[in-house]
Amino acid sequence: MRRNALRMLVAGSSCLASLYLTAYLRADGLPHQASPAGQLGKVDFPTSCALEVQPSVEKGLALLHSFQYTESEKTFAAASTRDPKCAMAHWGKAMATYHQIWDFPNDKTLKEGRKEVEKAQKLHPALPREQDFINAAAAFFQKQSRMSHTDRTQAYASALEELHAKSPGDVEISAF
């Protein structure tokens, strides 16, 4: 059952990648620029971060959902600078290194993501939901150099499956 689910995930990811790349390229073949802030969409992602960085965390997540990884990482980095105790900003920086649809992180990128996850873990976020998201990322970025792409993806998917089972109505959990 899980193997079939993983195959469906990979097949679905390939379809999404094709659709995204088609939408990403303009008619003249040049890539689109990042979406203007007003066209990004809204997310509802409460965190225990300082109130003044909450909009940045939500923007970073919206960029992440829009596959705008570079801008997402920059936004989460700015949030972590403004609130050094914001665990979810470090989680977001890690997640921005995982380009789920079109590439697999190399060893250097996995190390960078793991470093950000470890920073998030050390901050001991106040909300259990935050800890759950960080734990799911930790399942992917774990320090096992011989782990295959499939094994990392399955570990992450299993962690998210448990998180979704605890909160099936949570739209953000479902999105991941």
Side-chain angles (χ1 to χ4, degrees):
M1 172 90 173
R2 285 184 182 229
R3 183 168 281 157
N4 287 337
L6 187 57
R7 284 186 189 133
M8 289 174 57
L9 175 67
V10 170
S13 294
S14 296
C15 284
L16 284 173
S18 296
L19 289 171
Y20 175 72
L21 290 175
T22 301
Y24 184 71
L25 295 176
R26 301 184 322 202
D28 59 8
L30 298 173
H32 286 287
Q33 297 301 314
S35 299
Q39 296 178 5
L40 203 55
K42 301 276 185 207
V43 297
D44 182 23
F45 197 68
T47 68
S48 59
C49 300
L51 288 177
E52 62 269 11
V53 301
Q54 183 63 33
S56 293
V57 170
E58 291 183 351
K59 178 182 178 185
L61 184 59
L63 287 162
L64 190 62
H65 286 326
S66 299
F67 311 108
Q68 296 180 34
Y69 297 112
T70 302
E71 290 302 313
S72 176
E73 191 278 331
K74 288 177 186 175
T75 303
F76 282 120
S80 71
T81 299
R82 289 176 47 216
D83 180 4
K85 294 181 182 181
C86 178
M88 294 310 286
H90 293 286
W91 166 85
K93 286 172 66 177
M95 295 309 300
T97 68
Y98 178 26
H99 308 161
Q100 299 177 35
I101 293 178
W102 51 78
D103 71 15
F104 185 72
N106 61 30
D107 289 340
K108 179 183 175 199
T109 304
L110 286 169
K111 186 177 179 179
E112 290 170 11
R114 184 171 42 256
K115 184 175 117 182
E116 291 301 327
V117 168
E118 288 170 354
K119 286 179 184 178
Q121 290 171 322
K122 287 178 184 173
L123 291 171
H124 304 288
L127 302 175
R129 179 177 183 257
E130 291 175 311
Q131 189 62 58
D132 289 339
F133 271 106
I134 293 166
N135 290 343
F140 180 82
F141 288 104
Q142 58 186 290
K143 192 176 184 175
Q144 292 190 28
S145 61
R146 297 200 187 271
M147 254 182 120
S148 71
H149 174 77
T150 302
D151 292 339
R152 285 186 187 282
T153 303
Q154 184 58 51
Y156 180 58
S158 294
L160 289 174
E161 184 178 24
E162 289 177 26
L163 183 52
H164 185 266
K166 286 197 306 192
S167 303
D170 188 311
V171 174
E172 290 307 321
I173 294 170
S174 298
F176 281 99

